[in-house]
């Protein structure tokens, strides 16, 4: 028997909820926000479900909404500002702080800008191609490559990850 | 760290995340509301329907729908309102009861996490003949910022508006003044770890001020901006003696990708509220203007464009915003109510904003930032 659209949507959500929340957690570093973002993303996907299905790749469609929803959270946050004559302050961690590898990685990710963080998670965790990453972020492939390069350089120099590697 | 090592560490960190179970019913309800809004915003010929439908969905998006500019607020006429906290034996979650013109209403909250996906979301319920013929529910995250004594939200229908707020623990009472001279005293009610207040008034009744008091005296006053449909928008809380921004307004307009856009900003003791023809939002501002500028927020235009709004320090005479396709948008801040503001349009989201540089009148770089 053919599924109704609601049943199809339910099945899709049950299959993809955990993966999408994990993606959003990589972008936000906060499980509450991650669930919030993904909840809204799926609701928006439901609102346009026939169109989502027609794309042939609902996963990519929802992933893109998740990324956009996370970026739009800036409404509720002050945008970090840096003065041109002042170097940005690095996050100083207490040497005795007992960070495990996971929290060290998340701390290093949080130190990246939202765009670089998204590039890292999409490229290096979801293993999307530069073109797929660019499509998800609605930017050029060149931007993805440059942002990935900068992000990796930052992560390699990250105090948190270096300390984590030493443990 | 190489690519493979990064993948392993990411995979280890992210697959360890175990989210709460998906609540698909809630998603479907939200999705239906979004669908309603989309239909409503395209049906401009039936404006009345558009306003009612958009109100429901826009609240979930952080901006509220308002009638087109120039539409006058519905007059509340003569009315009487009363509010009282629940008695000692009231059901858990009951926050306030009261009357509008002698007809009763009540407002209650459910335990966080009940029938919602996220544990920190709560279902709110407004009911009673004073509020309207049908019970109305809403799902929100009730929280109050450390910088404000109370954070207000609203539930509305054609007849009435219920204002509810999460308040700081040191708030002993709130005094609400309405334009008809009515004064309502609200006493916070502890419910599920939060302190909450609520009151109801007829649609169109204008709130002139809300003042928060601790046990030792006044904490602050909010003078809300009143949107075109009479619903108040809260943004700033003024400390005793603080004046806030002057009352002024200015319209920002431009053309982006061959489409004209227009946004009006209203400054006043409420802070700053912005409206487009179908929606409005009040935006919080930090008390001290950082050197350069700050993005305050964004509002979605009827053409589904994202109109980004911000404030700039007095030094700034020009801001260059670079998009990720390397194109640049040049914006000149405008003085409104003693503070400089700017607006520009992007496509559907902030993804396109890459960085910004603020210049003074002499062309010197004042500050820069990256989104």
């Amino acid at each position: 028997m053919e599924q109704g659209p609601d049943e199809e949507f339910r099945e899709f959500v049950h299959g993809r909820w955990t993966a999408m929340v994990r993606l959003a957690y990589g972008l936000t570093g906060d499980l509450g926000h991650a669930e919030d973002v993904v909840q809204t993303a799926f609701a928006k996907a439901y609102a346009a479900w026939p169109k989502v299905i027609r794309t042939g790749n609902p996963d990519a469609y929802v992933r893109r909404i998740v990324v956009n929803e996370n970026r739009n959270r800036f409404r509720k946050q002050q945008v970090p500002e840096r003065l041109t004559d002042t170097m940005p302050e690095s996050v100083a961690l207490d040497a005795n702080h007992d960070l495990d590898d996971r929290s060290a990685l998340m701390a290093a990710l949080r130190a990246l800008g939202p765009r670089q963080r998204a590039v890292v998670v999409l490229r290096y965790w979801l293993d999307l191609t530069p073109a797929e990453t660019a499509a998800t972020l609605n930017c050029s492939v060149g931007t993805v490559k440059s942002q990935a390069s900068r992000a990796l350089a930052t992560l390699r120099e990250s105090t948190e990850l270096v300390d984590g590697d030493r443990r | 760290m190489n690519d493979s090592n990064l993948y392993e560490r990411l995979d280890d960190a992210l697959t360890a995340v175990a989210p709460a179970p998906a609540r698909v019913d809630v998603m479907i309800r939200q999705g239906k509301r979004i669908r309603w809004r989309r239909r409503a915003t395209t049906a401009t010929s039936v404006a009345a329907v558009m306003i009612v439908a958009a109100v429901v969905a826009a609240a979930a998006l952080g901006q509220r729908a308002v009638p087109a500019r120039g539409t006058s607020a519905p007059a509340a006429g003569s009315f009487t309102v009363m509010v009282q906290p629940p008695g000692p034996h009231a059901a858990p979650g009951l926050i306030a009861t009261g009357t509008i013109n002698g007809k009763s209403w009540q407002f209650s909250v459910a335990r966080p996490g009940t029938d919602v996906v996220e544990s920190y979301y709560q279902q709110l319920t407004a009911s009673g003949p004073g509020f309207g013929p049908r019970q109305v529910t809403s799902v929100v995250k009730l929280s109050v910022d450390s910088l404000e004594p109370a954070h207000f939200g609203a539930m509305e229908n054609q007849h009435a508006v219920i204002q509810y707020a999460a308040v700081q623990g040191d708030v002993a009472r709130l005094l609400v003044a309405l334009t008809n001279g009515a004064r309502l005293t609200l006493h916070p009610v502890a419910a599920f770890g939060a302190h909450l207040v609520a009151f109801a008034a007829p649609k169109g009744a204008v709130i002139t001020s809300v003042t928060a008091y601790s046990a030792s005296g006044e904490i602050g006053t909010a003078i809300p901006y009143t949107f075109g449909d009479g619903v108040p928008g809260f943004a700033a809380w003024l400390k005793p003696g603080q004046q806030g921004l002057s009352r002024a307004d200015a319209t920002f307009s431009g053309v982006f990708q061959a489409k004209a856009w227009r946004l009006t900003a209203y400054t006043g003791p409420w802070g700053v509220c912005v409206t487009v023809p179908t929606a409005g939002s009040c935006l919080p501002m930090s008390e001290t203007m950082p050197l350069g500028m700050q993005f305050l927020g964004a509002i979605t235009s009827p053409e589904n464009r994202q109109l980004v709004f911000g404030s700039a320090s007095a030094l700034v005479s020009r801001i260059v915003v670079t998009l990720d396709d390397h194109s640049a948008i040049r914006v000149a801040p405008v003085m409104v109510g003693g503070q400089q503001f700017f607006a520009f349009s992007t496509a559907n989201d902030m993804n396109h904003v890459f960085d910004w540089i603020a210049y003074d009148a002499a062309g010197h770089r004042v500050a820069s930032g990256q989104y």
Side-chain angles (χ1 to χ4, degrees):
Chain A
M1 190 168 65
E2 194 172 316
Q3 285 183 318
D6 276 12
E7 284 313 303
E8 194 175 33
F9 175 77
R10 285 175 190 279
E11 195 172 289
F12 175 67
V13 172
H14 285 306
R16 300 302 300 151
W17 167 254
T18 299
M20 288 295 173
V21 173
R22 287 171 176 169
L23 163 65
Y25 179 70
L27 301 177
T28 65
D30 181 298
L31 182 56
H33 282 312
E35 290 177 345
D36 196 7
V37 161
V38 176
Q39 166 82 19
T40 305
F42 275 120
K44 288 188 171 180
Y46 177 83
W49 190 241
K51 178 182 167 189
V52 175
I53 291 300
R54 281 198 301 275
T55 65
N57 191 349
D59 206 46
Y61 191 99
V62 174
R63 195 161 54 225
R64 187 166 170 167
I65 305 178
V66 166
V67 171
N68 285 338
E69 280 298 313
N70 180 52
R71 297 296 300 269
N72 286 337
R73 283 193 310 127
F74 97 101
R75 296 174 187 179
K76 295 179 181 175
Q77 296 174 341
Q78 295 295 324
V79 175
E81 179 174 306
R82 89 181 138 74
L83 303 181
T84 51
D85 296 334
T86 311
M87 289 297 289
E89 291 180 15
S90 59
V91 177
L93 284 179
D94 183 344
N96 296 322
H97 199 160
D98 185 22
L99 288 175
D100 63 16
D101 281 354
R102 288 171 188 160
S103 56
L105 180 71
M106 294 313 295
L109 278 179
R110 275 195 292 272
L112 298 176
R115 185 193 305 263
Q116 290 186 10
R117 202 182 313 147
V119 167
V120 166
V121 175
L122 294 170
R123 281 280 290 126
Y124 298 103
W125 182 56
L126 285 185
D127 205 22
L128 300 187
T129 65
E132 289 168 331
T133 305
T136 304
L137 295 174
N138 199 17
C139 66
S140 68
V141 172
T143 299
V144 168
K145 289 180 177 174
S146 65
Q147 293 290 305
S149 171
R150 287 181 205 174
L152 284 181
T154 305
L155 289 176
R156 285 189 187 109
E157 293 171 7
S158 160
T159 315
E160 293 90 333
L161 289 183
V162 170
D163 287 348
D165 287 341
R166 283 175 188 154
R167 274 195 298 272
Chain B
M1 179 167 49
N2 57 34
D3 292 3
S4 167
N5 181 238
L6 177 58
Y7 168 79
E8 285 170 11
R9 294 184 76 157
L10 281 167
D11 198 47
D12 179 55
L14 299 181
T15 55
V17 173
R23 300 295 288 270
V24 191
D25 289 338
V26 179
M27 291 172 194
I28 289 176
R29 283 201 296 274
Q30 286 180 349
K32 284 178 178 172
R33 287 202 293 266
I34 293 168
R35 205 184 275 169
W36 260 107
R37 182 179 71 93
R38 287 176 182 162
R39 286 174 184 164
T41 49
T42 54
T44 51
S45 61
V46 282
V49 173
M50 179 180 80
I51 291 160
V52 171
V55 163
V56 176
L61 301 175
Q63 66 187 45
R64 59 178 316 281
V66 295
R69 195 170 178 220
T71 307
S72 59
S78 174
F79 63 89
T80 58
V81 289
M82 286 180 60
V83 64
Q84 56 196 24
H89 304 296
L94 181 64
I95 304 304
T97 61
T99 59
I100 297 176
N101 295 327
K103 293 181 179 176
S104 65
W105 58 267
Q106 67 173 38
F107 175 81
S108 59
V109 302
R111 182 180 295 280
T114 306
D115 291 334
V116 294
V117 170
E118 300 86 355
S119 58
Y120 45 81
Y121 269 64
Q122 282 174 274
Q123 183 163 296
L124 317 179
T125 303
S127 61
F131 183 64
R134 274 192 291 244
Q135 173 176 296
V136 174
T137 61
S138 177
V139 175
V140 301
K141 182 159 48 179
L142 288 169
S143 61
V144 56
D145 190 282
S146 60
L147 297 174
E148 55 188 2
H151 187 84
F152 275 93
M155 292 172 69
E156 59 187 301
N157 59 20
Q158 293 167 299
H159 311 279
V161 180
I162 283 191
Q163 297 285 335
Y164 58 84
V167 304
Q168 298 287 358
D170 64 340
V171 173
R173 64 189 169 94
L174 291 154
L175 183 63
V176 180
L178 302 172
T179 43
N180 71 341
R183 298 285 185 274
L184 302 174
T185 300
L186 312 179
H187 296 280
V189 173
F192 311 121
H195 295 86
L196 307 173
V197 294
F199 68 97
K203 194 76 176 282
V206 174
I207 298 168
T208 52
S209 68
V210 178
T211 303
Y213 296 89
S214 68
S216 55
E218 182 181 334
I219 300 172
T221 296
I223 298 171
Y225 173 76
T226 305
F227 286 103
D229 57 356
V231 174
F234 291 87
W237 283 83
L238 303 174
K239 291 174 182 158
Q242 190 182 353
Q243 293 299 311
L245 295 176
S246 306
R247 290 176 192 257
D249 62 85
T251 297
F252 298 79
S253 61
V255 176
F256 181 75
Q257 294 179 346
K259 287 208 172 182
W261 59 268
R262 178 180 288 264
L263 173 151
T264 303
Y266 299 88
T267 62
W270 49 81
V272 60
C273 298
V274 296
T275 63
V276 294
T278 54
S281 181
C282 291
L283 305 168
M285 293 175 62
S286 59
E287 284 198 0
T288 52
M289 179 67 216
L291 183 62
M293 67 90 164
Q294 58 182 337
F295 293 117
L296 295 178
I299 189 166
T300 306
S301 74
E303 300 80 24
N304 203 28
R305 299 291 180 198
Q306 201 79 355
L307 304 183
V308 179
F309 187 76
S311 62
S313 68
L315 276 176
V316 175
S317 66
R318 186 167 55 96
I319 299 165
V320 178
V321 178
T322 306
L323 306 183
D324 61 6
D325 63 359
H326 305 296
S327 64
I329 297 174
R330 289 169 177 77
V331 289
V334 173
M335 190 66 78
V336 190
Q339 172 70 57
Q340 289 210 110
F341 294 97
F342 64 88
F344 63 88
S345 174
T346 68
N348 294 327
D349 51 57
M350 281 291 289
N351 272 346
H352 299 279
V353 174
F354 189 79
D355 60 21
W356 57 268
I357 305 171
Y359 297 92
D360 64 14
H364 297 128
R365 182 186 284 216
V366 176
S368 66
Q370 195 170 50
Y371 177 66

